[in-house]
Protein backbone atom coordinates (compact mmCIF):
# COMPACT_ATOMS: atom_id res chain seq x y z
CA UNK A 1 0.00 0.00 0.00
CA UNK A 2 1.15 3.59 -0.58
CA UNK A 3 2.48 5.16 2.54
CA UNK A 4 5.35 2.80 3.33
CA UNK A 5 8.47 4.59 4.48
CA UNK A 6 10.21 3.80 1.21
CA UNK A 7 7.36 5.10 -0.95
CA UNK A 8 6.82 8.20 1.18
CA UNK A 9 10.51 8.98 0.94
CA UNK A 10 10.40 8.47 -2.82
CA UNK A 11 7.35 10.72 -3.18
CA UNK A 12 9.03 13.44 -1.11
CA UNK A 13 12.00 13.16 -3.47
CA UNK A 14 9.69 13.31 -6.50
CA UNK A 15 8.13 16.53 -5.18
CA UNK A 16 11.62 17.95 -4.69
CA UNK A 17 12.47 17.06 -8.27
CA UNK A 18 9.21 18.58 -9.53
CA UNK A 19 10.17 21.96 -8.07
CA UNK A 20 13.17 22.04 -10.42
CA UNK A 21 10.83 22.37 -13.37
CA UNK A 22 9.66 25.79 -14.57
CA UNK A 23 6.25 27.27 -13.95
CA UNK A 24 4.40 27.42 -17.24
CA UNK A 25 1.57 25.98 -19.28
CA UNK A 26 2.46 22.48 -18.09
CA UNK A 27 2.54 21.37 -14.44
CA UNK A 28 5.70 20.79 -12.41
CA UNK A 29 5.98 17.01 -12.06
CA UNK A 30 8.62 14.68 -10.61
CA UNK A 31 9.04 10.91 -10.79
CA UNK A 32 11.13 8.24 -9.06
CA UNK A 33 11.44 4.62 -10.22
CA UNK A 34 11.86 1.99 -7.49
CA UNK A 35 13.01 -1.59 -7.87
CA UNK A 36 10.90 -4.36 -6.24
CA UNK A 37 13.21 -4.23 -3.22
CA UNK A 38 12.83 -0.45 -2.86
CA UNK A 39 16.08 0.74 -4.42
CA UNK A 40 16.01 3.88 -6.57
CA UNK A 41 16.48 2.96 -10.24
CA UNK A 42 16.18 6.41 -11.79
CA UNK A 43 14.70 9.88 -11.31
CA UNK A 44 13.17 12.45 -13.64
CA UNK A 45 11.19 15.67 -13.82
CA UNK A 46 9.45 17.76 -16.43
CA UNK A 47 11.86 20.35 -17.80
CA UNK A 48 9.25 22.49 -19.59
CA UNK A 49 6.75 22.56 -22.43
CA UNK A 50 7.72 20.31 -25.33
CA UNK A 51 10.18 18.23 -23.31
CA UNK A 52 9.72 14.70 -21.96
CA UNK A 53 7.30 14.36 -19.08
CA UNK A 54 8.68 13.32 -15.71
CA UNK A 55 7.91 9.61 -16.11
CA UNK A 56 9.50 9.43 -19.56
CA UNK A 57 12.48 11.45 -18.33
CA UNK A 58 13.01 8.92 -15.53
CA UNK A 59 12.62 5.97 -17.91
CA UNK A 60 15.25 7.50 -20.20
CA UNK A 61 17.76 7.36 -17.33
CA UNK A 62 16.98 3.76 -16.38
CA UNK A 63 18.22 0.36 -17.49
CA UNK A 64 15.21 -1.07 -19.40
CA UNK A 65 15.72 -4.48 -17.81
CA UNK A 66 15.64 -2.99 -14.33
CA UNK A 67 12.35 -1.18 -15.01
CA UNK A 68 10.34 -4.36 -15.58
CA UNK A 69 8.41 -5.04 -12.39
CA UNK A 70 9.37 -1.66 -10.94
CA UNK A 71 7.20 0.88 -9.10
CA UNK A 72 6.80 4.40 -10.48
CA UNK A 73 6.30 7.12 -7.87
CA UNK A 74 4.84 10.21 -9.57
CA UNK A 75 3.56 13.51 -8.15
CA UNK A 76 0.72 13.76 -10.72
CA UNK A 77 -1.41 11.06 -12.33
CA UNK A 78 0.34 9.90 -15.53
CA UNK A 79 -1.24 11.58 -18.53
CA UNK A 80 -3.39 9.75 -21.05
CA UNK A 81 -3.21 11.98 -24.11
CA UNK A 82 -0.92 12.78 -27.02
CA UNK A 83 0.23 16.36 -27.32
CA UNK A 84 3.79 17.32 -28.15
CA UNK A 85 4.72 14.11 -26.33
CA UNK A 86 2.95 10.75 -26.06
CA UNK A 87 0.86 9.42 -23.16
CA UNK A 88 2.95 8.71 -20.07
CA UNK A 89 0.55 5.91 -19.09
CA UNK A 90 1.44 4.08 -22.30
CA UNK A 91 5.17 4.65 -21.78
CA UNK A 92 4.96 3.10 -18.31
CA UNK A 93 2.95 0.13 -19.59
CA UNK A 94 5.35 -0.53 -22.46
CA UNK A 95 8.32 -0.28 -20.08
CA UNK A 96 6.86 -3.06 -17.94
CA UNK A 97 6.24 -1.06 -14.77
CA UNK A 98 4.18 -3.20 -12.37
CA UNK A 99 2.92 -0.54 -9.97
CA UNK A 100 2.26 3.21 -10.08
CA UNK A 101 1.73 5.44 -7.05
CA UNK A 102 0.75 9.06 -7.67
CA UNK A 103 -0.03 11.94 -5.34
CA UNK A 104 -2.93 13.72 -7.04
CA UNK A 105 -5.23 13.16 -10.00
CA UNK A 106 -4.80 15.16 -13.19
CA UNK A 107 -7.67 17.73 -13.24
CA UNK A 108 -7.56 18.34 -16.99
CA UNK A 109 -10.15 16.40 -19.04
CA UNK A 110 -7.82 16.00 -22.03
CA UNK A 111 -4.97 14.52 -19.99
CA UNK A 112 -6.86 12.62 -17.28
CA UNK A 113 -7.68 8.93 -17.37
CA UNK A 114 -4.15 7.64 -17.05
CA UNK A 115 -4.98 5.62 -13.94
CA UNK A 116 -7.79 3.78 -15.70
CA UNK A 117 -5.57 3.02 -18.66
CA UNK A 118 -2.86 1.64 -16.40
CA UNK A 119 -5.30 -0.55 -14.49
CA UNK A 120 -6.78 -1.86 -17.74
CA UNK A 121 -3.28 -3.00 -18.71
CA UNK A 122 -2.85 -4.88 -15.42
CA UNK A 123 -0.73 -2.28 -13.63
CA UNK A 124 -1.43 -1.85 -9.91
CA UNK A 125 -2.33 1.80 -9.23
CA UNK A 126 -2.62 3.71 -5.95
CA UNK A 127 -3.22 7.42 -5.39
CA UNK A 128 -3.16 10.03 -2.64
CA UNK A 129 0.35 9.65 -1.23
CA UNK A 130 1.46 13.10 0.04
CA UNK A 131 -1.54 14.55 -1.80
CA UNK A 132 -1.61 17.76 0.26
CA UNK A 133 1.99 18.50 -0.63
CA UNK A 134 1.30 17.91 -4.32
CA UNK A 135 -1.79 20.14 -4.24
CA UNK A 136 0.23 22.89 -2.57
CA UNK A 137 2.95 22.60 -5.20
CA UNK A 138 0.50 22.72 -8.09
CA UNK A 139 -2.04 25.15 -6.65
CA UNK A 140 -1.31 27.93 -9.14
CA UNK A 141 -1.39 25.50 -12.08
CA UNK A 142 -4.61 23.80 -10.98
CA UNK A 143 -6.15 27.23 -10.42
CA UNK A 144 -5.24 28.15 -13.97
CA UNK A 145 -6.95 24.99 -15.23
CA UNK A 146 -10.06 25.69 -13.16
CA UNK A 147 -10.44 29.38 -13.98
CA UNK A 148 -9.05 29.41 -17.48
CA UNK A 149 -6.95 32.41 -16.45
CA UNK A 150 -4.22 33.28 -13.93
CA UNK A 151 -4.79 34.11 -10.28
CA UNK A 152 -5.20 37.90 -10.09
CA UNK A 153 -3.97 39.95 -7.14
CA UNK A 154 -4.86 43.65 -7.05
CA UNK A 155 -2.53 45.87 -5.07
CA UNK A 156 -2.94 49.50 -4.27
CA UNK A 157 -1.59 51.97 -1.74
CA UNK A 158 -4.01 54.53 -0.38
CA UNK A 159 -4.36 57.25 2.18
CA UNK A 160 -6.66 56.80 5.15
CA UNK A 161 -9.35 58.66 3.23
CA UNK A 162 -9.10 56.34 0.21
CA UNK A 163 -6.96 58.43 -2.13
CA UNK A 164 -4.29 56.89 -4.36
CA UNK A 165 -2.65 60.22 -5.20
CA UNK A 166 -2.63 63.88 -4.26
CA UNK A 167 -4.75 66.35 -6.21
CA UNK A 168 -1.87 67.07 -8.61
CA UNK A 169 -1.53 63.36 -9.44
CA UNK A 170 1.66 62.69 -7.46
CA UNK A 171 1.48 59.31 -5.77
CA UNK A 172 4.96 58.08 -4.83
CA UNK A 173 5.72 57.22 -1.22
CA UNK A 174 2.19 57.21 0.17
CA UNK A 175 3.35 54.26 2.28
CA UNK A 176 6.62 53.78 4.14
CA UNK A 177 9.67 51.60 3.43
CA UNK A 178 8.42 48.50 5.30
CA UNK A 179 5.26 48.39 3.20
CA UNK A 180 7.20 48.96 0.01
CA UNK A 181 9.56 46.12 0.91
CA UNK A 182 6.56 43.83 1.36
CA UNK A 183 5.25 44.84 -2.06
CA UNK A 184 8.54 43.96 -3.73
CA UNK A 185 8.60 40.57 -2.01
CA UNK A 186 5.14 39.85 -3.39
CA UNK A 187 6.09 41.17 -6.81
CA UNK A 188 8.97 38.72 -6.86
CA UNK A 189 6.58 35.82 -6.20
CA UNK A 190 4.36 36.75 -9.17
CA UNK A 191 4.79 35.59 -12.75
CA UNK A 192 3.72 38.94 -14.19
CA UNK A 193 3.27 42.54 -13.03
CA UNK A 194 0.42 44.30 -14.82
CA UNK A 195 -0.31 48.02 -15.12
CA UNK A 196 -2.49 50.20 -17.29
CA UNK A 197 -1.09 52.67 -19.79
CA UNK A 198 -2.40 55.56 -17.67
CA UNK A 199 -0.25 54.58 -14.70
CA UNK A 200 2.79 53.84 -16.86
CA UNK A 201 2.57 57.23 -18.59
CA UNK A 202 1.89 59.14 -15.36
CA UNK A 203 4.32 57.44 -12.95
CA UNK A 204 6.96 55.89 -15.26
CA UNK A 205 7.31 52.72 -13.13
CA UNK A 206 9.98 50.11 -13.81
CA UNK A 207 7.64 47.17 -12.95
CA UNK A 208 10.57 45.28 -11.44
CA UNK A 209 11.03 43.45 -8.15
CA UNK A 210 13.84 44.70 -5.93
CA UNK A 211 15.70 43.43 -2.87
CA UNK A 212 15.58 45.37 0.43
CA UNK A 213 18.90 47.01 -0.46
CA UNK A 214 17.43 48.36 -3.70
CA UNK A 215 19.18 45.96 -6.08
CA UNK A 216 17.16 44.06 -8.66
CA UNK A 217 16.14 40.50 -7.90
CA UNK A 218 17.71 37.84 -10.09
CA UNK A 219 14.32 36.53 -11.22
CA UNK A 220 12.00 39.22 -12.53
CA UNK A 221 8.26 38.96 -13.24
CA UNK A 222 7.01 39.53 -16.76
CA UNK A 223 6.07 43.20 -17.35
CA UNK A 224 2.60 43.58 -18.88
CA UNK A 225 0.81 46.79 -19.87
CA UNK A 226 -2.84 47.01 -20.90
CA UNK A 227 -4.24 49.90 -22.91
CA UNK A 228 -4.35 51.38 -26.37
CA UNK A 229 -2.04 54.36 -25.87
CA UNK A 230 1.54 54.35 -27.15
CA UNK A 231 4.41 54.07 -24.67
CA UNK A 232 7.36 56.38 -25.52
CA UNK A 233 10.77 54.75 -25.78
CA UNK A 234 12.06 56.97 -22.96
CA UNK A 235 9.92 55.20 -20.34
CA UNK A 236 11.77 53.09 -17.76
CA UNK A 237 9.63 50.05 -18.52
CA UNK A 238 11.55 49.59 -21.77
CA UNK A 239 14.72 49.01 -19.72
CA UNK A 240 13.13 46.02 -17.98
CA UNK A 241 15.29 42.86 -18.31
CA UNK A 242 12.32 41.06 -19.88
CA UNK A 243 10.57 42.08 -23.07
CA UNK A 244 7.39 44.09 -22.49
CA UNK A 245 4.05 42.52 -23.38
CA UNK A 246 1.74 45.36 -24.40
CA UNK A 247 -1.91 44.41 -24.91
CA UNK A 248 -3.61 47.17 -26.89
CA UNK A 249 -7.12 46.29 -25.84
CA UNK A 250 -9.72 46.90 -23.16
CA UNK A 251 -10.91 43.27 -23.13
CA UNK A 252 -9.53 42.07 -19.83
CA UNK A 253 -10.94 38.56 -20.22
CA UNK A 254 -8.97 38.11 -23.45
CA UNK A 255 -5.80 39.50 -21.86
CA UNK A 256 -5.97 37.13 -18.89
CA UNK A 257 -6.81 34.19 -21.12
CA UNK A 258 -3.79 35.01 -23.28
CA UNK A 259 -1.53 35.30 -20.23
CA UNK A 260 -2.68 31.88 -19.05
CA UNK A 261 -1.96 30.39 -22.47
CA UNK A 262 1.54 31.86 -22.22
CA UNK A 263 2.15 30.05 -18.93
CA UNK A 264 1.46 32.90 -16.50
CA UNK A 265 -0.06 31.52 -13.29
CA UNK A 266 -0.02 34.54 -10.95
CA UNK A 267 -0.67 38.15 -11.92
CA UNK A 268 0.17 41.10 -9.67
CA UNK A 269 -1.76 44.19 -10.77
CA UNK A 270 -0.11 47.46 -9.78
CA UNK A 271 -2.66 49.88 -11.15
CA UNK A 272 -3.91 52.32 -11.77
CA UNK A 273 -7.40 52.97 -10.45
CA UNK A 274 -9.05 52.57 -13.85
CA UNK A 275 -7.57 49.11 -14.45
CA UNK A 276 -8.11 47.97 -10.86
CA UNK A 277 -11.72 49.12 -10.96
CA UNK A 278 -12.37 47.43 -14.30
CA UNK A 279 -11.02 44.10 -12.98
CA UNK A 280 -13.28 44.39 -9.92
CA UNK A 281 -16.25 45.32 -12.09
CA UNK A 282 -15.66 42.25 -14.29
CA UNK A 283 -15.28 39.92 -11.29
CA UNK A 284 -11.68 39.10 -12.20
CA UNK A 285 -9.97 39.82 -8.87
CA UNK A 286 -9.04 36.85 -6.66
CA UNK A 287 -7.14 38.75 -3.97
CA UNK A 288 -6.84 42.38 -2.86
CA UNK A 289 -3.88 43.90 -1.06
CA UNK A 290 -4.73 47.36 0.27
CA UNK A 291 -1.81 49.20 1.86
CA UNK A 292 -3.28 51.99 4.00
CA UNK A 293 -1.11 54.86 5.18
CA UNK A 294 -2.01 57.17 8.12
CA UNK A 295 -2.21 60.22 5.92
CA UNK A 296 -5.06 62.33 4.56
CA UNK A 297 -4.95 63.62 0.98
CA UNK A 298 -8.47 64.61 0.01
CA UNK A 299 -9.23 65.53 -3.58
CA UNK A 300 -10.52 63.51 -6.52
CA UNK A 301 -7.76 60.88 -6.93
CA UNK A 302 -9.58 57.93 -5.39
CA UNK A 303 -8.00 54.47 -5.20
CA UNK A 304 -11.07 52.77 -6.70
CA UNK A 305 -13.48 54.23 -9.22
CA UNK A 306 -16.81 52.98 -10.57
CA UNK A 307 -17.11 49.21 -10.10
CA UNK A 308 -20.72 48.84 -11.19
CA UNK A 309 -22.50 49.20 -7.86
CA UNK A 310 -25.81 51.04 -8.43
CA UNK A 311 -27.06 50.50 -4.87
CA UNK A 312 -26.03 48.89 -1.60
CA UNK A 313 -27.58 45.55 -2.51
CA UNK A 314 -25.03 45.19 -5.32
CA UNK A 315 -22.01 45.94 -3.11
CA UNK A 316 -18.94 43.77 -3.62
CA UNK A 317 -18.69 41.76 -0.42
CA UNK A 318 -15.15 40.85 0.60
CA UNK A 319 -13.73 38.38 3.09
CA UNK A 320 -11.12 39.80 5.44
CA UNK A 321 -8.21 37.36 5.50
CA UNK A 322 -5.49 39.34 7.26
CA UNK A 323 -4.60 42.69 8.76
CA UNK A 324 -0.93 43.34 9.39
CA UNK A 325 0.99 46.38 10.60
CA UNK A 326 3.96 47.27 8.42
CA UNK A 327 5.82 50.12 10.07
CA UNK A 328 3.28 52.94 10.31
CA UNK A 329 1.06 51.43 7.61
CA UNK A 330 -1.54 48.68 7.52
CA UNK A 331 -1.79 45.86 5.01
CA UNK A 332 -5.35 44.59 4.57
CA UNK A 333 -5.67 41.31 2.65
CA UNK A 334 -9.13 40.54 1.25
CA UNK A 335 -10.75 38.08 -1.11
CA UNK A 336 -14.17 38.04 -2.79
CA UNK A 337 -16.79 36.67 -0.46
CA UNK A 338 -18.40 33.84 -2.41
CA UNK A 339 -20.37 32.46 0.53
CA UNK A 340 -23.65 33.97 -0.69
CA UNK A 341 -23.21 32.42 -4.13
CA UNK A 342 -22.26 29.08 -2.62
CA UNK A 343 -25.29 29.15 -0.32
CA UNK A 344 -27.59 29.99 -3.20
CA UNK A 345 -26.17 27.11 -5.22
CA UNK A 346 -26.61 24.74 -2.29
CA UNK A 347 -30.27 25.76 -1.93
CA UNK A 348 -31.01 25.63 -5.66
CA UNK A 349 -33.16 22.53 -6.24
CA UNK A 350 -31.94 22.33 -9.83
CA UNK A 351 -28.28 22.16 -8.76
CA UNK A 352 -26.83 18.77 -9.58
CA UNK A 353 -29.82 17.66 -11.67
CA UNK A 354 -28.85 16.52 -15.17
Amino acid sequence: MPGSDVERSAMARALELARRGPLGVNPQVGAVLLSPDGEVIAEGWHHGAGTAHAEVDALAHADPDAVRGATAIVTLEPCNHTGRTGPCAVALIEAGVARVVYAMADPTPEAGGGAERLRAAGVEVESGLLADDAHALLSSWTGLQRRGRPHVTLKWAQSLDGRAAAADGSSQWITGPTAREDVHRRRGAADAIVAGTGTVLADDPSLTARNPDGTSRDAQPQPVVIGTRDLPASLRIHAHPRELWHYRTHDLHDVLRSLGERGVHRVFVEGGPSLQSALLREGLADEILAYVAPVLLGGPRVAIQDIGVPDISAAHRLRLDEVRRLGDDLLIVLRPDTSADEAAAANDPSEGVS
Side-chain angles (χ1 to χ4, degrees):
M1 293 179 62
S4 69
D5 289 344
V6 170
E7 290 185 349
R8 290 181 68 85
S9 177
M11 185 64 79
R13 174 59 177 167
L15 287 163
E16 180 182 331
L17 293 167
R19 295 184 184 94
R20 297 183 182 182
L23 286 173
V25 177
N26 292 345
Q28 295 170 295
V29 182
V32 174
L33 299 176
L34 297 177
S35 69
D37 60 1
E39 296 296 321
V40 174
I41 299 171
E43 301 176 336
W45 70 92
H46 184 51
H47 294 256
T51 66
H53 288 189
E55 302 93 317
V56 176
D57 186 46
L59 289 170
H61 293 91
D63 180 345
D65 292 333
V67 173
R68 298 205 168 273
T71 294
I73 306 292
V74 193
T75 57
L76 183 67
E77 177 187 7
C79 70
N80 189 37
H81 79 121
T82 300
R84 281 184 279 185
T85 60
C88 292
V90 172
L92 292 169
I93 292 166
E94 292 179 346
V97 168
R99 173 175 164 82
V100 173
V101 179
Y102 63 88
M104 62 173 282
D106 193 315
T108 57
E110 65 275 10
E116 289 82 356
R117 190 163 191 172
L118 287 162
R119 289 191 181 101
V123 178
E124 182 184 355
V125 179
E126 298 285 353
S127 65
L129 180 60
L130 300 188
D132 289 345
D133 296 322
H135 281 286
L137 172 66
L138 294 178
S139 61
S140 64
W141 178 78
T142 54
L144 178 61
Q145 308 310 308
R146 184 177 67 253
R147 291 184 295 261
R149 61 167 178 80
H151 179 278
V152 176
T153 295
L154 306 187
K155 167 264 171 183
W156 64 76
Q158 66 173 66
S159 63
L160 186 62
D161 55 346
R163 269 57 180 179
D168 66 351
S170 57
S171 62
Q172 285 190 318
W173 317 134
I174 288 179
T175 54
T178 305
R180 295 197 296 273
E181 183 177 316
D182 186 76
V183 169
H184 280 281
R185 179 182 64 80
R186 294 175 185 270
R187 280 186 182 185
D191 302 317
I193 298 181
V194 179
T197 51
T199 292
V200 173
L201 291 169
D203 296 343
D204 192 17
S206 61
L207 296 190
T208 56
R210 295 188 292 277
N211 296 308
D213 63 2
T215 58
S216 293
R217 291 174 177 258
D218 292 335
Q220 289 291 333
Q222 174 65 46
V224 177
V225 175
I226 304 174
T228 58
R229 285 184 280 181
D230 292 334
L231 301 175
S234 59
L235 293 175
R236 289 195 296 168
I237 196 170
H238 294 297
H240 196 286
R242 301 182 67 171
E243 181 183 0
L244 173 66
W245 293 351
H246 185 182
Y247 287 88
R248 296 176 178 270
T249 179
H250 296 295
D251 191 326
L252 299 176
H253 291 271
D254 278 353
V255 171
L256 292 175
R257 190 178 306 112
S258 172
L259 291 175
E261 291 171 351
R262 298 173 87 165
V264 173
H265 294 194
R266 299 180 297 260
V267 165
F268 194 79
V269 182
E270 285 276 8
S274 296
L275 177 59
Q276 308 265 24
S277 301
L279 287 162
L280 287 168
R281 190 166 56 247
E282 295 292 328
L284 295 173
D286 302 298
E287 180 182 45
I288 295 170
L289 307 176
Y291 294 84
V292 182
V295 61
L296 301 174
L297 293 176
R301 307 279 185 167
V302 292
I304 293 298
Q305 302 169 349
D306 176 30
I307 56 173
V309 178
D311 55 58
I312 194 64
S313 66
H316 290 229
R317 300 293 177 183
L318 303 173
R319 184 180 75 243
L320 181 62
D321 275 6
E322 181 184 0
V323 178
R324 186 192 310 173
R325 182 167 180 170
L326 299 172
D328 291 331
D329 306 310
L330 288 181
L331 167 61
I332 304 175
V333 182
L334 308 111
R335 289 180 173 81
D337 185 356
T338 59
S339 58
D341 294 337
E342 292 168 354
N347 293 324
D348 186 349
S350 66
E351 187 71 19
V353 177
S354 59

